Structures are given as C-alpha cells and as structure tokens.
Amino acid sequence: MDPLAIAQVSPYPWEDRHEVNTYVGRLSEELAQRGHRVVIVAPSRDEAAVRASRKAIRAGDVLGAPGEIRVLAVGEVLPGVAATGSSRGRPAVPIDVARTVEELLLSTALDICHVHEPFAPSVASVALRHSRALNVGTFHAPAERVVATQVARKLVTLVFGRLDARHAAYPATAELMRRFFPAEYALAAPGAEAPAPAPRAADDPVRLLFVDAEERQALRLFLRALRRLDLSVPWEATVVSAQGPSSTTPMRSELRERVRFTTGGEDEALASADILVAASGGTLPAPALVLRATAAGAIPVVSRLPVYEDLVEEHGLLFEPADVEVLGAQLRRLVGDRDLRRRLRDAAPPARAWSTLADEVEASYVQTVARRHDPTGDPELWERLRTRKLIDVDLHMHTDHSGDCATPVEHLLATAREQGLGAIAVTDHNEVSGAFEAAQKAAEFGVKIIIGEEVKSATQGEVIGLFLQEKIPRGLTLEETVAEIKRQGGLVYVPHPFDRMHAVPDYEHLLKILDDVDAIEVYNPRVAIGSFNEEAERFAAKYQIVRGAGSDSHVAAGLGSVRIRMHDFDGPQEFLESLRHAEITTKSGTLLYVQALKFLETRATPRAARRARRDRRVRRATRKS
C-alpha cells in the first residue's frame, strides 16, 4: 500500500509513563517501520518542546519523510492538574492548546487521525472535533463510571459518530462501549513487552510486586492484604510508586522489613517478580501492566473486573474488588505453594507482539481509506469542459410546488435571471412538477434547469436527486431512494447533511450509501448553526466527495446567497466533472432576512392574499420575458 500520513493523538502528557502513551509510541514505531509518515500529538509540560512544536506547525513542518516519527507537544497541562505526573488525572484543555490542535489539523494533509481515549475534555476529543482526515478511535480501559457519566451523552454520541473505525484495546472495553455507545468495535489489543525473567535461586524468597498505576485505594488494599501472609515463609514485596508509602496505611514493624518502596525501576521489578497484584476497584484499572507482568513470568492476582478477567484466564487468581480477606488468602496460597506457581506460570499464553497489533491497525486503515472517492474524475472530459464559459449555479431551491414555499416558478426564474445565475436545480420537497414546469419555461428566461427533487426517506432524512426523469415517492428507505435516483440516471446529492434542525441521515446511514453519493452540500445559508456546515465540509474533505452548495431558497430573495462558479455543462456526467473543479462563494448575513420573508409569504399571509400576490408576480415575470 502507499504510505499514509498518520496522526496518533494521546490525551496524556507525553512525558508521563502511561499505558496509552506506551501503546501510541510502540504502534507508531511499527507503522513507521512500514514506511508510513507518523506524527504523535500529545500535551506536554515541556515548555521548550511546546514552543518548538508550535513553531513547526506554523511553518507547516509537521510530517517527516516516510518511515519517520515526529512528536508534537501541542501545549502544557493546566497547573495543578496531574501535576505529580500520575496517570490518574485527565488534564483539561486550555484554549491555546485547542487552537494549536485545530491549526495543526487544518494545515496538515493527513490520511488518518487516530485518536486514543477521545473522551472530553482532552486533546484527543479536540482532535476528533476538528479533524478533516479519516478518523480512527481506540478506546483502552476507561472506567465504567467515566463512560456512563459523560456529560450530554447524546452529543458525545454525535461526536463519536465522526469516527470512521472504532477499536477497543480489550474485550471488556468493547463490551462496555457497545453498551453505552452502540457501534462495532474491532479488537486491537496491545503488545506485551517485558524484560526477561531474572535468574532465581531455589531458596530465594517469593517476590510480590505492586505497581502504583491504579487508584490509591488499590495500594492500601495490597498493604493490608500483606498482613494476612505467613511470616514464617520467606517472601518480600516491592511497591513501585512515584508517591511513596501511604500515610493512611501504617505498616507493622515486621512488614516494614519485607516491603520496599521505590520510585522507579518498573522493568527491573517485573523481571524479578513472582507475583503481581492488581487490586483496582474499577476506577483506574491497568490491564497493560497485567500483560507485561505475564510476559515477564509473574503470576497475576487481580480483582474480579471484566477487563482483568479476560486477561488472566487460566494462569492467574481472582478476588472480589476491595475484599482484603480473599486477596490475602490467594496470596497465602501462592506464596506457600511452589507447584501452584509453576502450573500457573506454565499456563500463561505467549506474549503478543506489537507487530501483530500494527498488522491489525494497518488493515483497518486500508479498509477505511478504501472508502474515499477517487478525486481524479475524468481528466479527458475535464480538458473539454475547461474551455467552456463560466456560469453561476445554485443547486438547492423551492417553488410553490413545495408545501412550505409560495414562490411561483416564473418569479423564481425571473429572479434567477436578475441574479445572473446560469443554471439552477429546482428541488421541491417530494415533487418534481415544479422542476418540469421550470424546464418548460427556462428558454424564456435564459436559465438552465436541472430537474431535482428533495426526497424525504422513511426515517433516515432527506436526499436530493438531480437530473431526474420522474417523481420519486417519499417514505422509501434511504438506500431505496438512492437506488431509484441511480435507476433514473440521476446524481445523488446530500443536502444539509449535519443540520440537526432538519431531517438528516445520521453518520451510520450516511456511511451506508457513501459509495453512491455523488456530491454533498457543504454550504447552506439556511443552516442556523455554522458548525453544521463546517462538519459537512470536513466530511466531504475526508472522503474526497465532490462539494456542492445551494441557497435552499424558499423565497426568491434567497437566490444568490451562495453561488457555484463552474464551467457550463450538458448532462449529469459533464455537470459532475465541472462541479469537481468549481469554486463556491458565499454571502453571510442572509439567514434571518430570508427566514423572515419565508414566514411572511407563507404563515403570516392569508391564503387568498398569497394567491393574488403570486398572480401579480407571474404577470410581472411574463411581461419581463
């Protein structure tokens, strides 16, 4: 495959030893070795790295050569948040960091934006919001309460809808995410690297290990469980913790002699450990640590959490979260039974290679990239079209053949002529009679007509058919509507695709018809919230879909609020090729005006008065022609 430009986005400060950062780093190394250009995007407390990264973004010097990895420190974490360097805190996103991420994604041509743990607020969530690339999301081991208590879950669901592929690092994570955010989550488990087990003598004490990567209560539980061990059996415990001993869990003198605290040396501790204890109550599990310990030959004793149960299978022991008695009993069994330790160690599966993860992720990238449209079009046809005259086109408007519009066809055509439009698509709601009437009268006004219809599907929103031959009934499924447009030789044009105030297809249904979409409306002046148009622009960009625009005019005064400058065309093929090379120009500030006119012409005017006004407009337009 051709090399891809990939951004791997972590929500955690890059200098922190966090399992997500390890995952991002090792995956990036594997992808770079395959020739891809990879940039790692993460927050950082290194002020010099932040300054250098922002300078590189402004200069456009972000992606290196194929096979090269670059790290961009997009900003510092807020003071007082995760200040200890612990993995516990999820830093909030200062506005300057958010702007840096936005600038990066707008100015850099990426194929894939791979976000990790894109829960808000985080750098990963900001990247997902602003990305114009294809988006892949990996969910690692979020606590259930983090997933369940996401503020405005409906909004989060919409944001996650921007993901074109979803991965889960563990089976339990996939199950959890499916429950709260239903979708397909492909398993993309991490690799497990650990130092080779250290040489051991037969009379060496049994070595227990606790790494303070979980919530603080887990350490307290471990230290309390040590009190239940038989002191006549030789054992010793190591606690790797950046914070040191817990002041709320005093140790007896006989335990202090056997327990050693260290602020580093995790690899060394894993190499010599016989038993690893992971005692999370579910708030902050550390499954990658369990995998590394197993690879190093240690036996995992873990709390009965789904994410841990999937990992230990037949080679570890379980206890109920916060149950110090059972944890103590399990440790006594292992410390006192050499044969049990050997059997469990022999039952451990082989360590998973990071290259296997890279194989799976790369295959997902290939599948996702394959959904993009071919941007080249028909070069030979374009060579013929580019010498034709330029005309202004509006691809979305209504006449009084739509139930919510009072504009007569003649008045629409006269206004189009006055506005200097060379072609218009008449797209009445669930009706083509207005478009055919306009086509019959077009010669009088010197405006080319595209026969269109804005069709309401059963439950998946609206879609426009252009260059139609006959009416398409409303109420079909989205797929059936698209098939009927194609049967007539028409083009599938998706209007206001992300305007939540209109009937629109959601991401799931839009992706189902993606291969059949010919063009997408990236600007509609009647969209009340500008971010909806921006989202349409992002969608068109990442899937390389031809961009269109239309006034969606329900009153003639709305014509001209957006124009497509393109070369003249005949038929759908020439139109689509010309549109591929067109320029869109917009005029702001028209929404309130045209909406008020629509209200006055429809709801606020008596029916008889509307008929009289329509007749006057028809007579006036006829005289002008």
Side-chain angles (χ1 to χ4, degrees):
M1 65 176 297
D2 294 332
L4 298 176
I6 304 165
Q8 297 280 342
V9 187
S10 172
Y12 298 102
W14 189 243
E15 55 268 22
D16 286 0
R17 187 181 180 90
H18 192 282
E19 62 182 52
V20 171
N21 287 347
T22 300
Y23 188 108
V24 168
R26 292 295 288 112
L27 174 59
S28 297
E29 291 173 8
E30 292 288 340
L31 293 172
Q33 290 175 9
R34 298 164 191 229
H36 300 295
R37 296 188 296 165
V38 183
V39 57
I40 296 172
V41 181
S44 174
R45 289 182 292 271
D46 186 332
E47 295 182 4
V50 171
R51 286 194 299 270
S53 296
R54 290 180 175 177
K55 182 178 180 181
I57 292 171
R58 288 192 296 271
D61 185 21
V62 172
L63 292 167
E68 182 180 353
I69 299 175
R70 291 188 176 180
V71 178
L72 289 180
V74 294
E76 303 170 67
V77 297
L78 289 175
V81 180
T84 62
S86 167
S87 62
R88 292 179 178 81
R90 181 185 298 278
V93 184
I95 189 169
D96 64 315
V97 175
R99 286 175 176 170
T100 299
V101 174
E102 181 179 8
E103 181 182 359
L104 163 67
L105 296 175
L106 288 176
S107 62
T108 306
L110 295 170
D111 296 296
I112 299 288
C113 179
H114 192 151
V115 292
H116 297 261
E117 300 283 55
F119 295 103
S122 69
V123 167
S125 69
V126 172
L128 181 57
R129 189 163 70 248
H130 294 294
S131 170
R132 296 167 63 90
L134 295 163
N135 300 313
V136 177
T138 295
F139 298 87
H140 292 259
E144 180 169 348
R145 68 172 181 82
V146 173
V147 180
T149 59
Q150 282 288 291
V151 176
R153 194 185 305 171
K154 186 175 182 179
L155 178 60
V156 176
T157 300
L158 292 175
V159 174
F160 284 176
R162 297 175 181 175
L163 293 170
D164 302 287
R166 306 188 193 198
H167 301 167
Y170 305 98
T173 302
E175 182 179 348
L176 178 65
M177 293 301 300
R178 288 190 195 105
R179 176 151 47 103
F180 290 98
F181 301 101
E184 183 58 37
Y185 294 83
L187 187 62
E193 285 181 337
R200 303 296 303 278
D203 57 349
D204 281 348
V206 178
R207 292 176 178 149
L208 296 88
L209 175 63
F210 183 91
V211 178
D212 193 14
E214 304 169 306
E215 63 270 28
R216 195 63 171 177
Q217 293 86 341
L219 172 58
R220 298 189 189 107
L221 186 71
F222 171 68
L223 295 176
R224 288 169 56 205
L226 294 182
R227 302 173 187 172
R228 276 74 175 171
L229 296 187
D230 187 350
L231 295 179
S232 66
V233 176
W235 62 267
E236 60 185 34
T238 298
V239 176
V240 179
S241 172
Q243 301 183 60
S246 172
S247 59
T248 60
T249 310
M251 290 184 291
R252 299 170 185 169
S253 58
E254 60 270 21
L255 284 182
R256 285 198 296 269
E257 296 173 357
R258 298 190 182 220
V259 179
R260 178 176 67 95
F261 278 82
T262 177
T263 57
E266 182 179 317
D267 287 345
E268 179 183 352
L270 283 172
S272 60
D274 296 297
I275 301 167
L276 172 85
V277 176
S280 173
T283 301
L284 196 65
L289 175 63
V290 175
L291 289 176
R292 294 187 67 222
T294 302
I299 299 162
V301 179
V302 299
S303 50
R304 193 181 294 276
L305 301 176
V307 71
Y308 284 160
E309 288 185 270
D310 293 330
L311 302 181
V312 299
E313 296 181 355
E314 302 298 326
H315 62 279
L317 298 179
L318 298 164
F319 63 94
E320 294 299 325
D323 194 333
V324 67
E325 297 298 336
V326 175
L327 173 56
Q330 296 286 44
L331 293 179
R332 281 199 307 273
R333 286 179 61 202
L334 278 176
V335 169
D337 192 334
R338 186 188 301 270
D339 289 338
L340 175 60
R341 295 199 302 272
R342 186 186 67 252
R343 289 196 304 272
L344 292 174
R345 190 178 294 114
D346 292 344
R352 176 177 163 88
W354 286 103
S355 60
T356 304
L357 168 66
D359 289 341
E360 296 166 350
V361 171
E362 188 177 45
S364 176
Y365 291 169
V366 170
Q367 185 178 16
T368 303
V369 169
R371 304 198 67 183
R372 292 192 298 197
H373 289 204
D374 182 359
T376 57
D378 187 338
E380 293 184 4
L381 178 58
W382 171 238
E383 283 300 316
R384 296 198 301 271
L385 291 174
R386 65 189 305 175
T387 60
R388 295 185 185 177
K389 67 177 181 179
L390 288 168
I391 60 174
D392 286 349
V393 181
D394 186 333
L395 293 181
H396 189 174
M397 65 190 64
H398 299 269
T399 72
D400 56 4
H401 292 251
S402 287
D404 61 348
C405 179
T407 305
V409 170
E410 291 87 348
H411 184 52
L412 181 77
L413 291 170
T415 305
R417 180 179 58 191
E418 292 170 2
Q419 289 289 336
L421 293 172
I424 58 174
V426 179
T427 56
D428 285 315
H429 294 295
N430 309 301
E431 187 55 76
V432 292
S433 56
F436 279 111
E437 181 183 343
Q440 291 171 358
K441 300 176 179 179
E444 303 174 29
F445 297 89
V447 179
K448 182 176 294 187
I449 303 299
I450 299 171
I451 305 296
E453 180 185 354
E454 189 169 15
V455 189
K456 181 73 171 293
S457 68
T459 59
Q460 295 91 33
E462 297 171 320
V463 64
I464 288 177
L466 299 176
F467 296 94
L468 297 181
Q469 306 300 318
E470 58 189 45
K471 177 181 175 178
I472 298 174
R474 66 177 294 171
L476 303 175
T477 67
L478 187 61
E479 290 88 344
E480 290 169 342
T481 305
V482 167
E484 179 58 22
I485 294 171
K486 292 295 185 180
R487 185 191 69 78
Q488 296 187 31
L491 299 177
V492 176
Y493 180 52
V494 181
H496 44 69
F498 302 107
D499 181 4
R500 313 304 174 195
M501 298 180 183
H502 282 82
V504 296
D506 57 22
Y507 263 88
E508 178 185 0
H509 291 99
L510 195 54
L511 290 175
K512 288 180 180 179
I513 64 167
L514 185 64
D515 292 342
D516 291 318
V517 172
D518 296 296
I520 188 169
E521 187 175 74
V522 299
Y523 184 80
N524 182 317
R526 292 186 66 242
V527 170
I529 300 176
S531 61
F532 295 155
N533 281 329
E534 293 170 5
E535 193 167 354
E537 179 73 52
R538 283 193 296 268
F539 190 89
K542 73 177 181 177
Y543 281 113
Q544 299 176 347
I545 303 173
V546 175
R547 300 158 63 251
S551 63
D552 196 3
S553 173
H554 287 67
V555 292
L559 293 178
S561 55
V562 59
R563 297 167 182 265
I564 304 173
R565 176 62 60 91
M566 57 192 292
H567 291 272
D568 202 358
F569 56 87
D570 289 308
Q573 283 70 40
E574 288 190 357
F575 165 82
L576 188 60
E577 189 61 34
S578 181
L579 184 61
R580 189 185 309 278
H581 302 274
E583 294 182 1
I584 297 172
T585 59
T586 64
K587 183 167 64 176
S588 62
T590 59
L591 173 62
L592 184 60
Y593 174 63
V594 298
Q595 289 292 75
L597 285 178
K598 177 186 174 184
F599 176 77
L600 291 173
E601 291 194 0
T602 54
R603 305 292 180 84
T605 305
R607 186 173 299 177
R610 291 203 301 268
R611 283 198 299 267
R613 183 170 55 195
R614 182 182 64 184
D615 292 342
R616 287 196 301 272
R617 285 175 174 172
V618 170
R619 289 194 297 270
R620 187 162 54 247
T622 302
R623 287 197 299 270
K624 288 183 178 180
S625 63

